[in-house]
Amino acid sequence: PGPTITLSQFGMLSPEGRCKAIDAAADGYVRSEGCGLVMLKLESAAQADGDRVLAIVNSSTLGQDGASTGMTFPNGEAQLQLLRKGLESAGLKGTDISYIEAHGTGTRAGDPVEMEQIRAVFGAPGETDCYVGSVKANVGHMEASAGIASVIKTVLMLDKKQLPPQIHLRQLNPQINLEHSRLKIATSLT
């Protein structure tokens, strides 16, 4: 129980046991465990084998949050660079994107910093909306498998052509400003 006790002592865990990503009542994250698996295959090989292709990965980008004022406060500049690098690698613009699966841990400091970077890269007014969500509100922060949970959620959304509502969202964190941007949070099945 050592890591959980330490995280609790630092005030990083939600005392309610609910991850309230981007919500005004965000009070920490929820630890969970899980695993996920996706089959990656060259598109040409999948087509030749008659596989059902659920999604295509245009590119991938790797980054690290870099130095910050502490473990609970993310480095916005490092996040901004990673988002821009990802778009560049894929040959896309921010306005080409219609959904962002955010890290969204449900912390008062982290969510606003992350959303500020998302707004800077993807929020410019455009013809289409760009929705933002976080699977952590549904399943908690699975730490080492959190990324694959986000990928699986996004692939399922593409397959079903549905965007689930962001659970535990009652009131947007007042430090998050979505006005005059194309960013939206789904509050009902979309």
Side-chain angles (χ1 to χ4, degrees), residues 19-23 99-102 104 132-138 153 163-170 185-189:
C19 177
K20 297 177 281 262
I22 64 178
D23 190 83
Y99 180 75
I100 306 289
E101 177 62 22
V132 181
S134 173
V135 74
K136 287 179 184 72
N138 299 85
K153 173 190 170 187
L163 178 68
Q166 183 65 37
I167 67 168
H168 307 312
L169 178 63
R170 303 290 176 254
I185 310 297
T187 55
S188 61
L189 187 63

Side-chain angles (χ1 to χ4, degrees), residues 20-27 106-108 111-112 168-176:
K20 297 177 281 262
I22 64 178
D23 190 83
D27 58 2
T107 60
R108 288 188 181 118
D111 291 350
H168 307 312
L169 178 63
R170 303 290 176 254
Q171 179 183 351
L172 189 66
N173 183 320
Q175 295 179 38
I176 296 173

Side-chain angles (χ1 to χ4, degrees), residues 27-166:
D27 58 2
Y29 78 98
V30 177
R31 295 188 83 199
S32 65
E33 294 183 8
C35 63
L37 177 70
V38 295
M39 170 69 79
L40 296 178
K41 199 173 195 181
L42 288 174
E43 184 180 9
S44 58
Q47 289 173 339
D49 291 344
D51 295 335
R52 182 170 173 235
V53 176
L54 297 174
I56 296 173
V57 178
N58 284 342
S59 72
S60 64
T61 306
L62 185 62
Q64 201 273 346
D65 210 34
S68 70
T69 57
M71 187 170 137
T72 61
F73 198 80
N75 181 329
E77 183 59 33
Q79 291 180 359
L80 187 65
Q81 289 175 17
L82 180 65
L83 294 172
R84 288 181 174 155
K85 183 179 170 185
L87 282 174
E88 182 181 327
S89 172
L92 298 169
K93 301 179 307 253
T95 52
D96 294 329
I97 306 302
S98 58
Y99 180 75
I100 306 289
E101 177 62 22
H103 188 60
T105 56
T107 60
R108 288 188 181 118
D111 291 350
V113 170
E114 179 182 19
M115 289 299 291
E116 182 180 336
Q117 309 325 309
I118 289 172
R119 181 186 172 122
V121 176
F122 302 101
E127 295 179 18
T128 60
D129 292 333
C130 179
Y131 285 87
V132 181
S134 173
V135 74
K136 287 179 184 72
N138 299 85
V139 298
H141 192 327
M142 295 192 299
E143 298 170 7
S145 56
I148 199 65
S150 295
V151 170
I152 291 170
K153 173 190 170 187
T154 305
V155 170
L156 287 170
M157 288 176 10
L158 291 168
D159 184 51
K160 303 295 182 191
K161 296 179 178 33
Q162 294 182 336
L163 178 68
Q166 183 65 37

